[in-house]
Amino acid sequence: MTENNKAVVFRAGNEEYATPIPFVISIEKMEGITPIPHLPSYVRGIVKVRGELIPVVDFEEILYSRTLPDSDSARMIVLQTEELSFAVLVTEAKEILDIPADCLKQPGLIAYQKTNYFTGVANFDHRLITIIDPSKLVGSLEGIREIKEYMKTQHTTA
């Protein structure tokens, strides 16, 4: 993240996370998800956003190995990376926040391969917000190549 970092802050479980604004395409209500059999457990299905079919990943499943319950506050944060556009299912989208560079700390877990998508922690007086890099998140998910191939076949047949 750079100076005067704007990020979308969201909740998964009881924790707050953020992703840099340049990755965010939109924030949508949790609706219109079509389940697809035999995809990894963290993939809820696919959804059509702005005419494009994209996979929906359950962030609660990725982090805590439990399915995000349906609720009125649940949101899909649609993200664009070089590899893939995808939607992240979160408990709640909270706010867009400026994160000053002096509030950013490097977490000790960066070296841990399974969570290399945690790129920093915004340390405010009364809250900690873990920063997530969507490109690294996509790269860390098992089975993502198969999902990308599946999405390519959907684009050509849709």
Side-chain angles (χ1 to χ4, degrees):
M1 291 181 70
T2 57
E3 289 292 318
N4 273 340
N5 306 299
K6 279 196 186 304
V8 172
V9 177
F10 57 90
R11 200 164 54 80
N14 295 320
E15 305 303 316
E16 288 186 313
Y17 299 90
T19 194
I21 282 283
F23 289 105
V24 179
I25 295 171
S26 65
I27 298 172
E28 311 283 337
K29 286 189 172 179
M30 188 176 133
E31 56 192 19
I33 300 172
T34 303
I36 304 292
H38 309 298
L39 288 178
S41 62
Y42 65 84
V43 180
R44 276 282 187 100
I46 59 173
V47 69
K48 191 176 234 177
V49 177
R50 298 180 184 185
E52 187 181 353
L53 289 173
I54 59 171
V56 178
V57 300
D58 186 333
F59 204 54
E60 199 131 328
E61 179 76 36
I62 292 166
L63 292 176
Y64 308 112
S65 300
R66 63 179 183 237
T67 302
L68 177 79
D70 291 352
S71 76
D72 288 341
S73 64
R75 293 290 180 265
M76 295 185 297
I77 299 178
V78 181
L79 302 170
Q80 171 77 51
T81 68
E82 282 185 25
E83 273 194 80
L84 182 71
S85 291
F86 65 105
V88 177
L89 216 47
V90 300
T91 309
E92 174 187 24
K94 296 190 67 148
E95 62 192 308
I96 293 174
L97 190 64
D98 273 318
I99 300 175
D102 61 344
C103 286
L104 275 177
K105 309 288 180 236
Q106 293 302 314
L109 296 175
I110 292 266
Y112 185 57
Q113 196 172 351
K114 284 190 186 265
T115 56
N116 71 345
Y117 48 86
F118 293 153
T119 56
V121 174
N123 186 0
F124 293 101
D125 286 343
H126 299 290
R127 62 200 281 209
L128 291 175
I129 302 170
T130 304
I131 311 297
I132 292 168
D133 180 328
S135 297
K136 288 183 178 173
L137 176 62
V138 164
S140 74
L141 295 175
E142 211 171 295
I144 204 74
R145 275 189 296 284
E146 292 85 347
I147 292 166
K148 283 195 308 201
E149 290 308 310
Y150 178 82
M151 297 315 292
K152 279 184 193 156
T153 65
Q154 294 305 302
H155 282 294
T156 55
T157 59

